[in-house]
């Protein structure tokens, strides 16, 4: 039996805003505080503000591509699963993982349930935070990127998407924290 892929919900305003390719840039400087933001935390039903972590704990910002609640980026899906499976390793070292997606709240709630996410999933359907962090965009969604921040909110490491190296591994990310 032939099955089809469900692309409903894929073509929307966000898709057209992010369709043209914009490459990721390395404008954020190492050892410098990164831009603050506030986004809904879909996993916990709260609001996450990056500056609330300053002075308390290091943070991993993981920008990810989820096209719709039914369509995951083939490069990001394994990365999301790996971060979720290893969330306890980050937490045992006092690190918070904030995963940021461009799906809206309703789509993000389905993702949290579908993947059994333990880590906070922050919804940024306007893609403003993606743009602040200069992760780039292509084919309807922002590109992935990972940013390791120390306890004071200063950038220690960044990984921006390339076709040769899609996402930083869990091992690499853990290694970058002091």
């Amino acid at each position: 039996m032939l099955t089809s892929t469900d692309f409903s919900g894929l073509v929307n305003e966000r898709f057209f805003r992010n369709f043209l390719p914009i490459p990721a840039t390395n404008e954020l400087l190492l050892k410098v505080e990164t831009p603050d933001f506030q986004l809904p935390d879909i996993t916990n039903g709260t609001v996450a503000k990056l500056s609330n972590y300053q002075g308390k704990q290091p943070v991993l910002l993981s920008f990810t591509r989820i096209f719709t609640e039914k369509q995951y980026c083939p490069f990001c899906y394994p990365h999301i699963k790996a971060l979720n499976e290893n969330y306890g390793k980050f937490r045992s070292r006092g690190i918070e993982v904030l995963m940021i997606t461009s799906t809206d709240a309703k789509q993000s709630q389905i993702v949290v349930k579908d993947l059994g996410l333990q880590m906070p999933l922050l919804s940024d359907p306007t893609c403003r935070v993606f743009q602040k962090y200069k992760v780039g965009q292509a084919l309807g969604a922002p590109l992935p990127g990972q940013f390791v921040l120390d306890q004071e909110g200063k950038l220690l490491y960044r990984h921006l998407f390339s076709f040769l190296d899609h996402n930083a591994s869990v091992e690499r990310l853990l290694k970058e924290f002091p």
Side-chain angles (χ1 to χ4, degrees):
M1 174 161 91
L2 186 63
T3 60
S4 65
T5 302
D6 184 352
F7 289 106
S8 64
L10 179 62
V11 180
N12 55 27
E13 180 187 341
R14 181 193 58 166
F15 177 84
F16 290 110
R17 259 194 340 262
N18 291 286
F19 185 75
L20 295 176
I22 296 175
T25 59
N26 289 319
E27 292 181 13
L28 297 178
L29 301 174
L30 294 177
K31 307 291 184 192
V32 174
E33 196 173 303
T34 60
D36 194 17
F37 61 83
Q38 181 173 309
L39 291 171
D41 175 352
I42 305 303
T43 306
N44 299 304
T46 60
V47 174
K49 186 172 184 181
L50 182 59
S51 58
N52 287 345
Y53 293 93
Q54 287 180 347
K56 297 177 185 165
Q57 68 187 112
V59 174
L60 168 63
L61 298 178
S62 181
F63 292 85
T64 191
R65 281 170 69 96
I66 301 173
F67 298 110
T68 73
E69 70 278 7
K70 299 175 182 126
Q71 295 294 320
Y72 296 90
C73 166
F75 302 125
C76 294
Y77 180 74
H79 190 253
I80 296 167
K81 300 260 306 167
L83 285 176
N84 195 46
E85 289 167 5
N86 290 281
Y87 183 59
K89 288 182 184 178
F90 286 95
R91 296 298 299 145
S92 70
R93 293 185 48 195
I95 302 162
E96 183 56 271
V97 177
L98 300 176
M99 179 161 286
I100 303 167
T101 179
S102 62
T103 51
D104 65 27
K106 183 179 176 187
Q107 291 172 319
S108 297
Q109 289 168 347
I110 295 168
V111 168
V112 167
K113 185 178 179 189
D114 184 45
L115 298 180
L117 291 185
Q118 303 166 52
M119 63 195 152
L121 180 66
L122 311 184
S123 174
D124 181 24
T126 64
C127 302
R128 286 188 187 113
V129 178
F130 283 90
Q131 292 163 355
K132 278 184 179 181
Y133 280 78
K134 309 281 188 196
V135 296
Q137 67 183 40
L139 302 175
L143 296 171
Q146 295 84 46
F147 297 82
V148 170
L149 310 180
D150 69 11
Q151 187 168 328
E152 300 309 315
K154 293 181 181 170
L155 182 62
L156 299 177
Y157 170 81
R158 74 175 152 258
H159 179 91
L160 298 173
F161 175 84
S162 77
F163 281 107
L164 299 176
D165 194 8
H166 314 121
N167 291 289
S169 69
V170 167
E171 295 76 23
R172 174 63 193 251
L173 293 168
L174 283 167
K175 182 181 145 206
E176 293 301 329
F177 285 98

